[in-house]
Amino acid sequence: MKKDMRFLAVVMLLLISFSSYNASAQQVQKGQFLLSPFLGLGYYYAGSGLAATIGVNGEYAFTDEISGGGYLAYTRWTHDYGYLGNDYDYTYNFIDFGARASYHFAKLLRVSNKKFDPYAGAFLGYVASSYNYDGPANSAYDDDYDGAVRSGIYAGARYFFQPNIGVFGEVSIGLTPISGGVTFRF
């Protein structure tokens, strides 16, 4: 956990270093809704193998600094290997959904670029899983990923290249380690 917190601290310092200082910035304003479809690489539950996540976040700005809403994500993780002449192929499917809340740092950090929105937050949700196995029938392996409540933290930044359209990137502990996508501001 200490290592994870240090990682997020470094990300926040990088976000601060890329911003200029001026008290007039308001990147997210009270009453706005942010809809952010995303793609993620890696997955919290996935060990080795390839995991790709597709999802969407939706957040309402309660104030110029605090937003909250929900997320929905689908992850497919495949793991294929051979051992003693047998092929073992596992495919997992995860559906994650829940609530998330963000603090937008632009005003606190006095970011002068009104197109740049640094933020961090936490989420609480549920994950459901299923898997398919293609291998020897005598394998003792069984799906060890049951549905569970999950929580996590994230840090990210958005850049609005149009008044209501931007791009974003996030790092996260608890869902997908790295993700990015497009944000639509309503």
Side-chain angles (χ1 to χ4, degrees):
M1 186 68 165
K2 287 173 93 175
K3 186 178 183 182
D4 297 336
M5 294 306 289
R6 280 188 244 145
F7 177 71
L8 282 178
V10 167
V11 169
M12 290 310 300
L13 288 172
L14 287 172
L15 290 175
I16 292 167
S17 69
F18 288 122
S19 64
S20 303
Y21 292 93
N22 181 339
S24 66
Q26 288 197 358
Q27 287 68 8
V28 174
Q29 295 177 352
K30 180 180 178 179
Q32 291 180 337
F33 181 74
L34 305 171
L35 185 64
S36 303
F38 67 88
L39 294 173
L41 296 176
Y43 188 65
Y44 178 72
Y45 282 132
S48 59
L50 174 65
T53 301
I54 185 169
V56 64
N57 300 321
E59 293 187 45
Y60 177 79
F62 299 111
T63 70
D64 291 347
E65 291 130 356
I66 298 172
S67 64
Y71 69 93
L72 175 64
Y74 169 76
T75 303
R76 182 177 176 91
W77 169 44
T78 59
H79 183 65
D80 304 325
Y81 69 96
Y83 180 72
L84 298 176
N86 293 313
D87 288 327
Y88 298 85
D89 300 323
Y90 303 97
T91 301
Y92 287 87
N93 297 290
F94 298 97
I95 297 176
D96 291 89
F97 58 92
R100 64 186 260 149
S102 300
Y103 183 83
H104 300 265
F105 291 97
K107 189 173 181 181
L108 178 70
L109 301 176
R110 300 178 185 171
V111 176
S112 65
N113 185 345
K114 291 184 179 186
K115 296 178 179 185
F116 183 67
D117 174 31
Y119 61 92
F123 65 88
L124 178 64
Y126 186 81
V127 58
S129 71
S130 66
Y131 87 111
N132 297 316
Y133 168 71
D134 182 19
N138 61 351
S139 174
Y141 186 78
D142 193 15
D143 178 10
D144 60 353
Y145 300 111
D146 294 325
V149 173
R150 81 150 30 143
S151 62
I153 54 178
Y154 56 88
R158 290 184 180 90
Y159 183 82
F160 290 97
F161 54 87
Q162 293 290 324
N164 295 319
I165 301 173
V167 294
F168 77 98
E170 283 184 7
V171 292
S172 172
I173 299 167
L175 186 58
T176 180
I178 187 166
S179 61
V182 178
T183 295
F184 301 98
R185 182 167 44 187
F186 301 95

